[in-house]
Amino acid sequence: MSASGDKKYVYLFNELDAAREAAGADWDAVRTLLGGKGANLFDATELGIPVPPGFTVTTEACNDYLAEGGFPGSLWEQVQQAVIALQGQTGKQFADPENPLLISCRSGAKFSMPGMMDTILNIGLNDQIVESLSEQTGSARFAYDLYRRLLQMFGAVVMGVPDEPFEHAISAQRRQAGVKLDTELTADDWKALCGRFKDIIQQQTAEDFPQDPTEQLKLATEAVFKSWNGKRAIDYRNADRIPHDLGTAVNIQTMVFGNTGEDSATGVFMSRNATTGEPELEGDYLINAQGEDVVAGIRATLPIKQLGEDMPTQFQELEAVAHKLEQHHRNMQDMEFTIERGKLWMLQTRDGKRTAQAEVRIAADMVEEGLISREEAVRRVKPDQVDFFLHPQLDQSAMEGAELVATGLNVSPGAAVGAVAFDPETAEKWANDEGRKVILARPETRPDDVHGMLAAQGIITSKGGRTSHAALVARQFGKPAVVGIAELDIDLEARRMQIGEDRVINEGDFLSIDGNTGKVFAGELPTVVPDINDPHLLQILSWADEIRQIDVRANADYPHDAQRAREYGAQGIGLCRTEHMFFEEDRLPIMQRMITADTPAERASAITDLMPMQRSDFEGLFRAMDGLPVIIRLLDPPLHEFLPSAHELIDRLTELKLRAKDLKSGRRLDQVLREIEDKSSLLERVEALEESNPMLGTRGVRLGLQIPGLYQMQVHAIFEAACRCAKDGVDVHPEVMIPLISHEREFRALIDPLQTEARMVMKEHGVEFPYLFGTMIEIPRAALTADDIAGVAQFFSFGTNDLTQTTYGISRDDAETGFLVHYLQTGLLKDNPFDTIDANGVGRLMKFAIEQGRATRPELEIGICGEHGGDPRSIHLCHRIGVDYVSCSPFRVPIARLTAAHAALEAPRG
Amino acid sequence: MSASGDKKYVYLFNELDAAREAAGADWDAVRTLLGGKGANLFDATELGIPVPPGFTVTTEACNDYLAEGGFPGSLWEQVQQAVIALQGQTGKQFADPENPLLISCRSGAKFSMPGMMDTILNIGLNDQIVESLSEQTGSARFAYDLYRRLLQMFGAVVMGVPDEPFEHAISAQRRQAGVKLDTELTADDWKALCGRFKDIIQQQTAEDFPQDPTEQLKLATEAVFKSWNGKRAIDYRNADRIPHDLGTAVNIQTMVFGNTGEDSATGVFMSRNATTGEPELEGDYLINAQGEDVVAGIRATLPIKQLGEDMPTQFQELEAVAHKLEQHHRNMQDMEFTIERGKLWMLQTRDGKRTAQAEVRIAADMVEEGLISREEAVRRVKPDQVDFFLHPQLDQSAMEGAELVATGLNVSPGAAVGAVAFDPETAEKWANDEGRKVILARPETRPDDVHGMLAAQGIITSKGGRTSHAALVARQFGKPAVVGIAELDIDLEARRMQIGEDRVINEGDFLSIDGNTGKVFAGELPTVVPDINDPHLLQILSWADEIRQIDVRANADYPHDAQRAREYGAQGIGLCRTEHMFFEEDRLPIMQRMITADTPAERASAITDLMPMQRSDFEGLFRAMDGLPVIIRLLDPPLHEFLPSAHELIDRLTELKLRAKDLKSGRRLDQVLREIEDKSSLLERVEALEESNPMLGTRGVRLGLQIPGLYQMQVHAIFEAACRCAKDGVDVHPEVMIPLISHEREFRALIDPLQTEARMVMKEHGVEFPYLFGTMIEIPRAALTADDIAGVAQFFSFGTNDLTQTTYGISRDDAETGFLVHYLQTGLLKDNPFDTIDANGVGRLMKFAIEQGRATRPELEIGICGEHGGDPRSIHLCHRIGVDYVSCSPFRVPIARLTAAHAALEAPRG
């Protein structure tokens, strides 16, 4: 006798204690032994929920069966014993025509796994028993319908007969009977089909359908075991990294029927409203019907509340069951039930799927109800679910019928609907002058497109990736955007765009874009607007605030952004990019004057002209952030970004030269020649500023050190703005940030004059307030020498975009059209390092910098202000390595608050 | 009485033991107390060298004087006692007209310091004593010349009279006497001048020159003390970081005179030949003359050997002194002597300056003589001195008279002379077809200029920095080069170049360039060719090889480079850049065919065509490096480098379009239109390959992963070449290097197919040999994840050029025309990180990578192959952090061998 001889392989649903003892105390071990589905049925049975009696053959039995190539030890005897026990529990007899016990057989692995054997219902029927069942129930149609289902399922699953012949036979029967629906088929039809089905099985397998119920059970059980090693199941496990040695359990359960008369019913329902989260049962049922009829929608279902009137006792029982299950699972339940001749049976319960709104409300409510802790409520709400509240959404149902014209990268969430415009001027004109809603479509965007982007509802581009200009600006301003739609071809001349081979969209046509999924639809789809001030969301976020250990600031360049960030809960500004102010229409010419200045005096004059503008910008920020810190970064981008591109100028010059050829003389020729001269001279400047690798070039502090007076002017403007606000009673906390430091000497060279400037302004105004001077850590060398830099800098802010570029050696501007796409597509890289901080490389460097920096200056304030500041996985990393705050776009602030709490719940702060 | 009351402040030259006891045992403490010059005089006196008697007032006396504002304690009494001691030693009396003792007074700090008080000679003379000295010596001219010198020096140094009035007075006296030279002035002239000088002092200071010799001595001593805190001295100490609290000593010494008759003489000489290093006295002397006459060149000096005939006894004594001093200092000595009435006095001895050749020979000889150890000999030879042997040099004397037309960056040493050519075709034609020597002048160079660079003797460019293409290629091939000559304006049309405002040089004119200094001369200057096979140099290098702990390999792309590298002592090839092979004339078109291929088949066909060419290149390398490892890097640069630039193409297109406008129809128009089409299509390709930051773009392994078959082809070629060589009995050690790894998965994705390819080729040929697959570490992320990468890579080679770019965030292509220049000019950065590895940033990262890599794979072979491999300071760093070898251009190999030995002598290997 083998070692398996005396193992207990079979447990009745009411033997949970025995199973627990065999498996080990914890629930996971029970699920390992009994499979997920089985464990749930044991659990419900123990709770006193009316579950149809049954038993489970363990996963261990499966493994031993597969190892030995047959039923191990006393397995088959144990199954037969269990069937006898079922007979005792139900008062029915397996294989007894007089009072037949029908059972189902289902696989049930530890993890839900498509590709495993599915259900076989109605085991226990045969030619003789079906006939007596027909007599006993008085419904031949009922009995033969059950039998043909057994034949079909058994034939397909156990005997390997394809589905098609069965389906063909039913179609033929329908044609013959002259009906359209299966429900219109009569008892005789089903009886005839049962005969046909048996023939099909014989023809296809050269074997007869086994008339012996015990033989049916044995074959069904073996089929479940064998399906564990089916190809699809193995592939699925490989893909999902599920161990191959778990095995599957087999669940054998008594059949119950909701279609045995007007005192029977069947239905599905949730313990709460899955759309809104309201605490009320929600679902549908049918009297005298089978479970699948409810889902199939053939008959009009009734709302679950109606059951309270139809079957008040059973409804109360249902409410009690739902309540009990919620209490037990501490979650909203999705349940199936059948009422067989007045008796309620629960067939399934599981945590219910729900909308973002429902998730938030249920989590909040359950805390109030004492079901779960605040921590648990916070843990349950996912970052994406918060995002949902922040953006209008395309109406789900409308999307289903709409024409999907393109799909791109989903870089900025939310829905936008409007008439498509192909240049920023048109977009602005339509939006501002004509009050139309506009979608701006561009090959890619540049800083001088921003006014059009702001005017538009949403943005689509054909080029660019997740960190392209379009994506960054769109996220910054909460504009839905879909970028990198490669098949999009915009013909600016013809004012139309082509998508793929032949779809043409003219300027002015309506488009609807879904920034959540990257889908672009034709036409004007309806939208729904969730409410960020949803009280349950606010509740969850306030609990998150209690839990999290790191702060959340916002990246904001304008007072209205700062205002919004504050409403969303930002605890300060982590990054104000002063250059964005210089791109504004009235300022760009002054900026260009500064850049193209021929003499120091000209340059100084332009710098002076910029000062009051900067000051007024900063004032707005300080007022909006009264009481909170505001980090202002001094000028960062390379100067060429403020000028037209060389390509543009060269194209224009070629055009002008060709035109000049056509003109003999006269005023127009003079004009053209003058423009040639101007553009040539501008081109010279642009070419002088050209760099082979601008990302590694003259920008940030490298500019600050080379343009005398520029950073001083900015510091002057910052402190003058702060002084003015302070005089009005505003509590100001300016933090001046010097970008692109790679050597502490760069910081040292600037800090004295800048500090002096700051103190001078404060003295002039007779005001004092706290302030800091700090730096970006965005170059590997800065991170590597953080100990030195912390000797002079009072705060660090990781610029993880640039730090990723240099640490990884990937240009952000090129990466998403180049090899990185290839890497991501082939799976060589799992994550785009510009979406989520590369923990092993960039993260290691950050950790090193934090340790080194704090070793020198223990009170060093450390944050991150790259795009990663709003990415959940990056926020987890930041928490673990010990940053003080993350800074992200205002629209990501609520998400960051929640995620920071998740991080705190998951791991200690570094 | 102050604390200084009983300090001993004054030591006689023969009281070294007492000074040692006061200062502490070690020589440095003695120098601190007595100053550098004083300590040397004590040392020589103790050796029994005939040094004129004297004494030293300590630095402590100076410090106490400055602190107390006057002579501290018994200082002045001690000085007077020491003068009495001098009287005893010399038999002369200070301030005694009958037998006057004359003395000199000199400052002498621990470190030699310009800006301190200089010498005052002849202290002890006055109106009366000069008269009696005149009588005693029988030479009024001698006596009054001494006196006027005292008056002039004392007046200037002690009393603050400017030099000009003294010089004017002498000029006036010369005019009056009708002579041209001071030596022609008579005793009366000098006597008159002494009177005039005293008047000048009185007029300028309202005080009389002190006639009391003791007063003279006191004032002179105080003047030395005070000069320690003079502005120039403080500035110098600040600049040189010399502590301000060292103080200066004062050296008081008996005067001796070489101009007291035919039994007197004076001279300077070296203990060995300072040009060749030969072991023979070398120098000059004059009978009856003063020291400065020898240097001034007014009288024709005699070679020192002549003294053997003129004064044989004294010459023998001189030889004995030179020998004794060499034995004592274990170095060649540079000495001054005076013979006063037959008595030899040594006035100074110090280590002598010498040429590179002499340094090498003397170091080698002194080891043979048992004077110094091999380690000491190796330590003495400096890297630059080895460099000297590797390149022809412009003749020093010819340079002095030549016209210097420009100065640029000295990027590749040695001299080159030739006719200037402005394009590589001309350079090649002149050199190869006409056998002319050529200097190639270009605005900057590109890969397709290389054939012209190879044909030229040397290269000059107007743009580019130390790591520009021109500089890299020039160093690689040992071509002297001067780059970045900003004022150079090459007019290709007119075939001439302009330098600065108005110097014009036509193509074909001769230029001579000095790569050591960055100077460019007009005309054809003579050169001298040192010998790399100098036996003494070989001896020193072989000792260096015994001492050093790291290997030296060479960067070589061609067999002849490999051959040369081996002759220079390379222990393998650390970097063969396969792309250089693709730039050759017959291969570039195939490479371009691969890049612009429309189909995978076209691409594969081009790759196949490249294979045999690659294989033959590699064969040559393996044969040249029989028995040594050869690292071959797979294709690295971005593809656009193999195509013309977009700018070039756009310019050409504009030109063609303008031309097309002029042509009405016909064959020429068709031609033009066809070229427009071709160029447009090529431009499209070029633009498709354009990247915003190519340095962070698609190259290295990123290309290898995207172009199927390319790396396989290269590995096939490498192993087939190795197999062929191995069959011929060559001992091959190929090491295949994959560039630009930033993630271990990149390596993992390639290693299997490449290993398979390698094994397949070996199996096919039936040959086995050891080989490695490894990677460049040139991206910070690779260094940060070195533990992971070492899991798959068998060797690391730091690409410090790129690693510096990304770690520092500086683009090498832009840096030397942009902000880095500004940083270096303003002193913000002390060193260019592309010249010398940035130890604190890049070096820290390298150290981390080495530790991590070896933790995973203890036998990991680690080298460096960036340009820094030939830089001495970088070699020291490499030694300290534990690399196994450095690899540099063949011409730097001897330097690296020496420097590696220096590093081993200086610090333990990490």
Side-chain angles (χ1 to χ4, degrees), chain B residues 298-488:
Chain B
I298 299 170
R299 285 166 55 190
T301 58
L302 303 168
I304 196 72
K305 281 187 185 159
Q306 175 74 28
L307 190 68
E309 289 165 31
D310 289 349
M311 301 186 180
T313 320
Q314 289 83 352
F315 183 70
Q316 274 176 20
E317 207 181 334
L318 210 56
E319 283 185 318
V321 164
H323 182 72
K324 189 184 262 183
L325 284 169
E326 268 205 351
Q327 292 287 322
H328 182 65
H329 291 288
R330 301 179 306 115
N331 207 337
M332 181 185 90
Q333 294 299 298
D334 175 352
M335 294 158 287
E336 290 178 25
F337 69 94
T338 287
I339 298 169
E340 187 185 57
R341 293 197 193 95
K343 164 73 179 158
L344 175 69
W345 295 104
M346 298 304 296
L347 300 181
Q348 172 154 307
T349 184
R350 59 187 169 189
D351 293 349
K353 292 200 191 316
R354 64 208 85 172
T355 64
Q357 281 144 300
E359 183 79 88
V360 166
R361 168 142 193 191
I362 291 168
D365 282 351
M366 284 193 170
V367 173
E368 298 303 322
E369 294 164 20
L371 263 185
I372 60 175
S373 65
R374 290 176 175 193
E375 286 74 15
E376 177 59 24
V378 167
R379 205 194 305 268
R380 281 192 187 174
V381 178
K382 297 289 165 284
D384 286 354
Q385 294 174 319
V386 174
D387 206 21
F388 174 87
F389 287 88
L390 292 162
H391 311 281
Q393 308 291 332
L394 288 182
D395 185 295
Q396 202 65 32
S397 55
M399 264 196 282
E400 278 157 27
E403 184 205 355
L404 175 69
V405 292
T407 302
L409 291 170
N410 53 339
V411 295
S412 185
V417 178
V420 65
F422 294 139
D423 62 60
E425 289 68 32
T426 306
E428 194 171 46
K429 198 180 78 198
W430 287 359
N432 298 354
D433 303 352
E434 306 175 18
R436 291 163 71 182
K437 298 201 162 185
V438 181
I439 301 290
L440 178 64
R442 298 285 283 165
E444 62 193 322
T445 65
R446 285 174 48 83
D448 46 16
D449 292 332
V450 170
H451 63 110
M453 298 170 76
L454 288 174
Q457 298 293 309
I459 297 119
I460 64 177
T461 71
S462 55
K463 296 182 197 165
R466 294 200 177 279
T467 49
S468 59
H469 178 265
L472 290 174
V473 173
R475 279 199 291 277
Q476 176 66 22
F477 295 103
K479 299 280 178 193
V482 177
V483 305
I485 307 170
E487 75 261 34
L488 198 72

Side-chain angles (χ1 to χ4, degrees), chain A residues 549-787:
Chain A
Q549 293 161 9
I550 60 176
D551 283 357
V552 175
R553 297 191 189 178
N555 300 346
D557 305 338
Y558 303 96
H560 60 266
D561 291 336
Q563 195 53 52
R564 170 177 289 140
R566 182 154 206 172
E567 282 159 20
Y568 287 177
Q571 294 162 287
I573 290 181
L575 176 62
C576 161
R577 284 160 289 213
T578 49
E579 59 270 23
H580 279 201
M581 301 172 176
F582 295 133
F583 282 120
E584 297 207 353
E585 219 174 328
D586 51 336
R587 299 163 185 196
L588 194 54
I590 310 180
M591 192 66 189
Q592 292 179 342
R593 191 147 61 77
M594 186 199 87
I595 296 168
T596 58
D598 282 317
T599 65
E602 273 180 50
R603 173 163 279 183
S605 136
I607 289 176
T608 306
D609 291 349
L610 288 166
M611 208 285 287
M613 301 176 169
Q614 286 258 289
R615 188 184 54 209
S616 73
D617 293 321
F618 297 143
E619 267 197 60
L621 288 179
F622 289 129
R623 287 182 202 279
M625 284 286 154
D626 188 0
L628 297 174
V630 175
I631 293 187
I632 296 168
R633 177 174 74 184
L634 303 183
L635 190 77
D636 184 48
L639 296 181
H640 70 77
E641 286 196 9
F642 298 95
L643 300 179
S645 78
H647 269 214
E648 266 173 47
L649 288 169
I650 290 169
D651 285 353
R652 179 72 186 150
L653 275 168
T654 305
E655 202 182 307
L656 288 168
K657 282 176 189 164
L658 289 169
R659 196 183 301 164
K661 277 245 161 191
D662 289 334
L663 297 168
K664 284 283 166 270
S665 66
R667 218 155 43 104
R668 281 189 48 211
L669 178 62
D670 289 347
Q671 262 178 9
V672 168
L673 292 177
R674 207 159 39 241
E675 193 181 341
I676 288 181
E677 202 176 308
D678 287 353
K679 288 280 188 293
S680 299
S681 133
L682 186 54
L683 178 60
E684 225 170 85
R685 297 276 185 177
V686 169
E687 286 182 335
L689 288 173
E690 243 173 35
E691 294 178 308
S692 313
N693 298 286
M695 196 47 69
L696 306 176
T698 305
R699 57 196 189 95
V701 69
R702 299 163 182 186
L703 271 182
L705 282 164
Q706 276 192 88
I707 304 184
L710 177 63
Y711 275 10
Q712 247 117 322
M713 177 279 282
Q714 292 198 292
V715 167
H716 189 97
I718 291 166
F719 280 80
E720 205 158 82
C723 285
R724 288 178 180 214
C725 293
K727 282 180 180 167
D728 293 348
V730 178
D731 181 15
V732 293
H733 297 265
E735 303 187 1
V736 179
M737 181 153 74
I738 300 175
L740 213 76
I741 292 285
S742 57
H743 199 296
E744 48 128 7
R745 289 216 198 97
E746 295 171 311
F747 198 94
R748 281 188 195 280
L750 281 170
I751 188 64
D752 282 346
L754 296 185
Q755 288 263 25
T756 305
E757 189 77 36
R759 280 193 294 262
M760 196 197 71
V761 174
M762 288 194 294
K763 200 172 164 197
E764 215 168 76
H765 288 260
V767 186
E768 282 276 349
F769 44 79
Y771 63 92
L772 300 175
F773 277 87
T775 182
M776 300 274 280
I777 301 289
E778 52 187 334
I779 297 284
R781 196 184 186 283
L784 289 164
T785 60
D787 47 353

Side-chain angles (χ1 to χ4, degrees), chain B residues 536-584:
Chain B
H536 300 99
L537 178 64
L538 295 181
Q539 180 66 76
I540 294 283
L541 289 174
S542 86
W543 289 334
D545 292 343
E546 287 167 16
I547 294 164
R548 66 189 161 87
Q549 293 161 9
I550 61 177
D551 283 357
V552 175
R553 297 191 190 177
N555 300 346
D557 305 337
Y558 302 96
H560 60 266
D561 291 335
Q563 195 52 53
R564 171 178 289 142
R566 182 153 206 171
E567 283 160 20
Y568 287 178
Q571 294 162 286
I573 290 180
L575 176 62
C576 162
R577 283 160 290 214
T578 50
E579 58 271 20
H580 279 201
M581 301 170 174
F582 294 131
F583 282 120
E584 297 206 352

Side-chain angles (χ1 to χ4, degrees), chain A residues 702 746 781 809 823 838, chain B residues 702 746 781 784 809 823 838:
Chain A
R702 299 163 182 186
E746 295 171 311
R781 196 184 186 283
Y823 279 15
D838 156 44
Chain B
R702 299 163 181 186
E746 295 171 310
R781 196 184 186 283
L784 289 164
Y823 279 15
D838 156 44

Side-chain angles (χ1 to χ4, degrees), chain A residues 646-647 650-651 654 657-659 661-662 687 690-699 701-703 705-706 740 742-743 745-746 749 779-788 805-814 818-820 822-823 827-830 838-842 844-845 848 852, chain B residues 646-647 650-651 654 657-659 661-662 687 690-699 701-703 705-706 740 742-743 745-746 749 779-788 805-814 818-820 822-823 827-830 838-842 844-845 848 852:
Chain A
H647 269 214
I650 290 169
D651 285 353
T654 305
K657 282 176 189 164
L658 289 169
R659 196 183 301 164
K661 277 245 161 191
D662 289 334
E687 286 182 335
E690 243 173 35
E691 294 178 308
S692 313
N693 298 286
M695 196 47 69
L696 306 176
T698 305
R699 57 196 189 95
V701 69
R702 299 163 182 186
L703 271 182
L705 282 164
Q706 276 192 88
L740 213 76
S742 57
H743 199 296
R745 289 216 198 97
E746 295 171 311
I779 297 284
R781 196 184 186 283
L784 289 164
T785 60
D787 47 353
D788 292 341
Q805 295 196 81
T806 41
T807 304
Y808 230 120
I810 303 179
S811 164
R812 195 169 50 163
D813 293 336
D814 307 319
F819 69 94
L820 187 59
H822 177 252
Y823 279 15
L828 194 130
L829 287 187
K830 290 239 151 51
D838 156 44
N840 202 31
V842 177
R844 216 181 260 204
L845 190 57
F848 180 84
Q852 298 282 310
Chain B
H647 270 215
I650 290 169
D651 285 353
T654 306
K657 282 174 190 166
L658 289 170
R659 197 182 301 167
K661 278 245 161 192
D662 289 334
E687 285 181 338
E690 242 171 37
E691 294 178 307
S692 312
N693 298 287
M695 195 47 69
L696 306 175
T698 304
R699 58 197 187 95
V701 69
R702 299 163 181 186
L703 270 182
L705 282 163
Q706 277 192 86
L740 213 78
S742 57
H743 198 296
R745 290 217 197 96
E746 295 171 310
I779 297 283
R781 196 184 186 283
L784 289 164
T785 61
D787 47 353
D788 293 341
Q805 293 195 84
T806 41
T807 304
Y808 231 122
I810 302 178
S811 164
R812 194 170 51 161
D813 293 336
D814 307 319
F819 69 95
L820 187 59
H822 178 251
Y823 279 15
L828 194 129
L829 286 187
K830 289 238 153 53
D838 156 44
N840 202 31
V842 177
R844 218 183 259 204
L845 191 57
F848 181 85
Q852 297 283 308

